[in-house]
Amino acid sequence: MSKIAPGVATTPCRACPLRPLDVFRDRSPADVTFLQTFKAGELAVSSGSTIISENVNSIHLFTLLSGWAFRYKTLEDGRRQIVNYVLPGDFIGLQASLSDAMTHGVDTLTNAVFCVFPRERLWDLFVRHPQIAYDITWLAAREERTLDEHLLAIGRKTALERLAYLLWYLYDKARDVGLLKGNKLDLPMSQAHLADTLGLSLVHTNKTLQKLREKGSILLDERRLTIINEDALKIMGRVETVASNARPLI
Amino acid sequence: MSKIAPGVATTPCRACPLRPLDVFRDRSPADVTFLQTFKAGELAVSSGSTIISENVNSIHLFTLLSGWAFRYKTLEDGRRQIVNYVLPGDFIGLQASLSDAMTHGVDTLTNAVFCVFPRERLWDLFVRHPQIAYDITWLAAREERTLDEHLLAIGRKTALERLAYLLWYLYDKARDVGLLKGNKLDLPMSQAHLADTLGLSLVHTNKTLQKLREKGSILLDERRLTIINEDALKIMGRVETVASNARPLI
DNA sequence: CGTTCCCTTGAGACCGCTCAAAGACCGTGG
DNA sequence: CCACGGTCTTTGAGCGGTCTCAAGGGAACG
């Protein structure tokens, strides 16, 4: 089901397939070399695996190399809230690592490969590689901003606005890391996942999806999303226009 | 309305009234001395002031010394979502500082005093004071966890659960910094603020508040909150029991 | 003493919920 | 090969939680 690749050939950081992408900042060769030593290995898991468990402290930090995952929290009676999605290049585990208490879970939506970094070397990193430390903080602040945005959506937007917002968010996020095929994107999650992200019931999510399709700006069939009119979708979703700069890749 | 105290006597970090509190970690005298030099001054503002404006990059970082504030986001049509509350000892501004795009606003609920730190010295801090850099990251991860929790509440809890959760959250947070008088807490926000935090309408928030009062675990009158049965409140709010450790104070 | 803000209450509308069930698709095992 | 169970999507029906609109009262303030 899941294992940390032992002798198996792993991707060397200098040949990281993500780093050349425009969304990621350039990094000095020295820092790339350090990241290579910081990387303890790779974790290759199948779809539906739990990478970080709620209520259990994680001893690792991860960068997703390929695949999709999501962060979530659940209540005892089973109600689940998906807090954010994880795409290639996203760095996760800081919360579960630094804080000692309850945290979120992370599950994969597809087969996925993670770079694994040992938490115990984080302090060493802060001492000896301030640039990377700064980048980690930058990413944490960025995630915070995303969560603010999601809170605004769930707390104050209508079902239709929320759904339009979420689909645009996923589309835009996927575009950053080159996952689009033209104006099409293969989404790995079910409508139940979307519902748990939006704070809506499954049934109502489905009906809202119908409505959104009727508006003519999107297609979504067989989990393939096609964006016909991105601007209209953004307006419907009350999306703030964001000029996002390149971000660091850990 | 607001000004950075110039020649006015400000609180020296070594005599910080917050640091002796149990919630805050001990810090080496050398680091306290550095923080003193990092601190550019104090910002004393009256109730209802905007400290950080949405859509405008902030050039400062702040630690709240005294008073209450809140972080929020708004939509163009005026709908507002309060994202979190800021109490003494809380460190804010990282998002608005590090990221270049749209951000949240921060308004005060009472007269308040902030310690002001210049953003441009943040990099220097990361190079020369890794412990403080680490602490800042730790706080960012902690805030992220809080937002996850709020997302779970707004997305998946009922109105009554949300309100119970919020009141307990505020009570617990205030207790940390010694703002309780016995089992009483003076809340500075209106029911409109509570509504905008919970993703509910003002009217329904009021009616939910009635219901919660009827349950007998709380009193809330004239903005004075009395917790009669904390355990019952936590259960109603579906609050995870959190064993929170001491946290750093910047 | 008028204005403003806040809390409260009532009434009715509607958005989103639960319950229920059917069809499509898929992998598995008989 | 087909039967079967599981997951996912879709649809209908009816309930109810939350919303909007409206209005009144109290406290604070100029």
Side-chain angles (χ1 to χ4, degrees):
Chain A
M1 193 68 168
S2 81
K3 58 170 187 170
I4 296 188
V8 175
T10 63
T11 311
C13 292
R14 75 177 56 205
C16 179
L18 296 171
R19 200 167 295 285
L21 293 173
D22 286 341
V23 262
F24 297 114
R25 283 198 206 131
D26 287 337
R27 199 180 269 302
S28 75
D31 279 352
V32 173
T33 302
F34 169 76
L35 282 179
Q36 179 71 66
T37 71
F38 184 38
K39 175 172 167 178
E42 284 178 14
L43 177 68
V45 298
S46 58
S47 173
S49 303
T50 298
I51 303 307
I52 295 175
S53 164
E54 286 186 289
N55 310 335
V56 175
N57 263 27
S58 170
I59 55 167
H60 294 307
L61 302 163
F62 304 92
T63 291
L64 182 53
L65 249 186
S66 68
W68 287 68
F70 64 97
R71 302 201 298 116
Y72 62 92
K73 288 183 70 73
T74 55
L75 294 171
E76 283 183 3
D77 59 14
R79 282 176 284 177
R80 179 178 68 172
Q81 177 65 40
I82 294 181
V83 155
N84 204 2
Y85 289 91
V86 184
L87 269 74
D90 287 342
F91 181 71
I92 59 170
L94 207 57
Q95 293 182 57
S97 248
L98 293 190
S99 94
D100 26 39
M102 308 286 171
T103 175
H104 53 89
V106 176
D107 283 8
T108 55
L109 284 163
T110 66
N111 295 341
V113 179
F114 294 84
C115 299
V116 182
F117 307 100
R119 168 177 63 171
E120 68 265 20
R121 295 200 49 204
L122 193 58
W123 170 244
D124 185 51
L125 184 154
F126 267 74
V127 172
R128 292 168 47 190
H129 295 272
Q131 177 62 57
I132 300 173
Y134 188 89
D135 288 345
I136 288 176
T137 309
W138 195 95
L139 287 174
R142 183 174 181 274
E143 176 76 6
E144 225 182 290
R145 224 195 53 204
T146 302
L147 297 184
D148 287 351
E149 206 90 38
H150 290 182
L151 267 166
L152 174 64
I154 296 186
R156 284 303 181 213
K157 291 182 186 175
T158 67
L160 193 67
E161 287 169 343
R162 287 184 221 181
L163 185 55
Y165 162 73
L166 176 58
L167 292 180
W168 180 81
Y169 171 77
L170 293 171
Y171 185 77
D172 191 56
K173 196 168 160 66
R175 172 166 48 202
D176 273 354
V177 289
L179 290 179
L180 301 192
K181 295 160 187 160
N183 63 345
K184 296 189 197 323
L185 168 64
D186 287 317
L187 290 176
M189 72 283 285
S190 70
Q191 291 183 15
H193 289 106
L194 296 179
D196 283 346
T197 312
L198 299 170
L200 298 172
S201 72
L202 169 57
V203 172
H204 198 247
T205 299
N206 180 280
K207 288 172 180 171
T208 304
L209 203 42
Q210 318 278 9
K211 250 187 228 167
L212 191 54
R213 279 189 270 238
E214 284 167 18
K215 303 265 184 187
S217 302
I218 68 148
L219 298 178
L220 179 52
D221 194 47
E222 303 273 319
R223 302 198 178 178
R224 163 156 288 207
L225 172 68
T226 306
I227 303 292
I228 296 166
N229 187 337
E230 184 175 347
D231 290 338
L233 186 66
K234 285 177 71 172
I235 289 169
M236 260 189 293
R238 303 280 190 272
V239 176
E240 304 182 56
T241 308
V242 184
S244 75
N245 273 14
R247 59 185 205 252
L249 175 65
I250 305 295
Chain B
M1 193 69 169
S2 82
K3 59 170 187 170
I4 296 189
V8 175
T10 63
T11 310
C13 292
R14 75 177 58 204
C16 179
L18 296 171
R19 198 168 296 285
L21 293 172
D22 286 342
V23 262
F24 297 114
R25 283 197 207 133
D26 288 336
R27 200 180 269 304
S28 74
D31 278 352
V32 173
T33 302
F34 169 76
L35 283 179
Q36 179 70 65
T37 70
F38 185 38
K39 176 172 166 177
E42 285 178 13
L43 177 67
V45 298
S46 58
S47 172
S49 304
T50 299
I51 303 307
I52 295 174
S53 164
E54 287 186 290
N55 310 336
V56 174
N57 263 27
S58 170
I59 55 166
H60 295 307
L61 302 163
F62 305 92
T63 292
L64 181 54
L65 249 187
S66 68
W68 287 67
F70 64 97
R71 301 201 298 117
Y72 62 92
K73 288 182 71 72
T74 55
L75 294 172
E76 283 183 5
D77 58 15
R79 281 176 284 177
R80 178 178 69 172
Q81 176 65 39
I82 293 181
V83 154
N84 205 1
Y85 290 91
V86 184
L87 268 74
D90 287 343
F91 181 71
I92 59 170
L94 207 57
Q95 295 181 57
S97 246
L98 293 190
S99 95
D100 26 40
M102 308 283 170
T103 174
H104 56 240
V106 176
D107 282 9
T108 54
L109 285 162
T110 65
N111 294 341
V113 179
F114 294 85
C115 299
V116 182
F117 307 100
R119 169 177 62 171
E120 68 265 22
R121 295 199 47 205
L122 194 59
W123 169 243
D124 185 50
L125 184 156
F126 267 75
V127 172
R128 291 168 50 189
H129 295 273
Q131 177 62 56
I132 300 174
Y134 188 90
D135 289 346
I136 288 176
T137 309
W138 195 96
L139 288 174
R142 183 174 181 276
E143 176 76 5
E144 224 181 291
R145 225 196 52 205
T146 302
L147 296 184
D148 287 352
E149 206 90 40
H150 290 182
L151 268 166
L152 174 64
I154 296 187
R156 285 303 180 213
K157 292 182 185 175
T158 66
L160 192 68
E161 288 170 343
R162 286 184 222 182
L163 184 56
Y165 162 73
L166 176 58
L167 292 181
W168 180 82
Y169 171 77
L170 293 172
Y171 185 77
D172 190 57
K173 196 168 161 66
R175 173 165 48 203
D176 273 356
V177 288
L179 290 180
L180 302 193
K181 295 159 188 162
N183 62 345
K184 296 189 198 321
L185 170 63
D186 287 318
L187 290 177
M189 72 282 287
S190 70
Q191 291 183 15
H193 290 106
L194 296 179
D196 283 346
T197 313
L198 299 170
L200 298 172
S201 71
L202 169 58
V203 172
H204 195 62
T205 299
N206 180 281
K207 289 173 180 171
T208 305
L209 201 43
Q210 318 278 11
K211 251 187 225 166
L212 192 55
R213 279 189 271 240
E214 283 167 18
K215 302 264 183 190
S217 301
I218 68 148
L219 298 178
L220 180 52
D221 194 46
E222 304 274 319
R223 301 198 178 176
R224 162 155 290 207
L225 172 68
T226 306
I227 302 293
I228 296 167
N229 187 337
E230 184 175 346
D231 290 338
L233 186 66
K234 286 177 68 172
I235 290 168
M236 260 188 295
R238 304 279 189 272
V239 177
E240 303 182 56
T241 308
V242 184
S244 75
N245 273 14
R247 60 184 204 253
L249 175 65
I250 305 296

